Amino acid sequence: DTYTQKYPGRVVALHKPNGGCASARNAGMAAARGRFIGFVDGDVWVTRDMYLDLYKMAIENAADIAQGGYKLAYKDGLITSGNDIYATRDVSFKRDGIVHDTLSLLIGQPTIWRRIYDRELLTENKIIFPEDIKRFDDLPFQFEALSLARCIVTTAQEYYYYRQGRVGQDILAKDEKLFVHFDIFDYLKPRVTSHARNDVIKQLMRVELNTHTWALGRLESHLVADYKQRAMQSLHTGYEMLPPKIKNKLIN
């Protein structure tokens, strides 16, 4: 409210009942009127030039999405460079400039906060955060946005300081909370497979496989068998349009 008074017409304060992270982000998107939309979590910080730089990159390259780098900020004060998997696993991917192989971005760790998104891209494709999914709702948002973007531009410049080790962070979960992954892919698969090319659907299957593998490596031992059984069932459902050879190669 103080900022709305200090910057009238530029800052809008939204007041709503607490409905979780997805609900808050959706409320912000619904109220947004700018050309681009970005997200900053409440416990982090960004550099002063982040949004100006990303905006310039997007405009100069006619891009739907502009992406920057990030740093990891630990509770003891240590700050390290982010593990930018987009720039290290694929030697053909450029750290600066237009991304020509956008499919390579689809299997990356969800990092929705490092980017700005053209508002029309989101509204025209009805891309929102699923509010009935209680955690990791950034995964479906990221996959849909990146898969539908016509042009993505990136820079290795690190703008966003992503806090690590905060008590209660979803990424620290090791219990039944990780079973939310099945709800996520039940939501995402029909939305993607209804319109996407097979190469995009193949990447979605790879994302699901990677997600379950990550969860199985963290889960408490008494939950592993149940999760693994459900994961195998999920991986055999919803990808009927892919050739069996491709599906079997990914799963096996």
Side-chain angles (χ1 to χ4, degrees):
D1 290 338
T2 300
Y3 275 95
T4 63
Q5 296 174 7
K6 188 175 181 180
Y7 303 103
R10 294 186 61 195
V11 176
V12 177
L14 304 180
H15 297 266
K16 62 181 294 299
N18 183 6
C21 187
S23 175
R25 287 171 173 160
N26 286 339
M29 286 197 293
R33 295 295 177 266
R35 169 79 179 274
F36 293 92
I37 290 178
F39 305 96
V40 179
D41 291 339
D43 61 344
V44 304
W45 71 98
V46 304
T47 63
R48 290 178 177 270
D49 55 355
M50 173 177 173
Y51 285 112
L52 178 59
D53 286 359
L54 294 182
Y55 175 79
K56 288 180 178 178
M57 288 167 50
I59 293 299
E60 291 170 359
N61 293 278
D64 292 321
I65 295 175
Q67 169 182 296
Y70 63 96
K71 291 183 179 292
L72 303 176
Y74 295 86
K75 60 183 180 180
D76 61 0
L78 176 66
I79 295 177
T80 64
S81 181
N83 178 24
D84 197 346
I85 58 176
Y86 301 142
T88 57
R89 287 188 179 177
D90 184 356
V91 295
S92 66
F93 177 73
K94 297 189 301 182
R95 296 193 69 151
D96 293 277
I98 293 176
V99 180
H100 297 291
D101 180 17
T102 56
L103 288 178
S104 65
L105 300 183
L106 298 180
I107 60 173
Q109 173 188 359
T111 51
I112 62 160
W113 28 259
R114 68 195 301 193
R115 309 184 185 99
I116 59 172
Y117 308 82
D118 189 299
R119 186 161 60 90
E120 288 189 0
L121 169 73
L122 304 180
T123 57
E124 290 178 359
N125 293 287
K126 297 180 173 59
I127 302 174
I128 61 170
F129 296 90
E131 296 185 20
D132 57 341
I133 294 176
K134 300 305 180 184
R135 55 190 59 85
F136 304 133
D137 52 85
D138 51 350
L139 189 159
F141 179 94
Q142 171 170 293
F143 192 94
E144 288 196 89
L146 294 178
S147 66
L148 290 167
R150 291 158 296 188
C151 178
I152 301 173
V153 64
T154 185
T155 176
Q157 181 66 38
E158 296 171 326
Y159 300 106
Y160 195 98
Y161 287 74
Y162 181 32
R163 193 180 299 276
Q164 302 291 293
R166 175 177 57 79
V167 175
Q169 278 186 305
D170 288 335
I171 58 174
L172 300 180
K174 297 182 179 181
D175 56 13
E176 290 89 347
K177 295 184 180 69
L178 294 180
F179 282 71
V180 74
H181 292 144
F182 303 113
D183 295 329
I184 289 173
F185 289 100
D186 285 345
Y187 167 86
L188 187 54
K189 278 187 278 191
R191 289 178 61 89
V192 173
T193 58
S194 64
H195 64 79
R197 307 184 312 267
N198 273 7
D199 53 358
V200 174
I201 297 171
K202 178 181 175 182
Q203 291 297 73
L204 176 60
M205 189 176 186
R206 182 173 281 117
V207 169
E208 180 172 5
L209 178 62
N210 291 346
T211 299
H212 295 324
T213 300
W214 175 81
L216 286 168
R218 296 185 53 81
L219 272 172
E220 297 167 356
S221 57
H222 68 283
L223 298 172
V224 169
D226 185 21
Y227 188 101
K228 187 173 182 179
Q229 180 181 11
R230 292 187 60 180
M232 292 302 295
Q233 291 174 346
S234 180
L235 287 165
H236 283 90
T237 304
Y239 300 108
E240 289 78 13
M241 68 293 299
L242 293 179
K245 183 178 180 180
I246 292 178
K247 292 191 292 184
N248 293 335
K249 183 178 181 181
L250 287 173
I251 295 175
N252 296 330

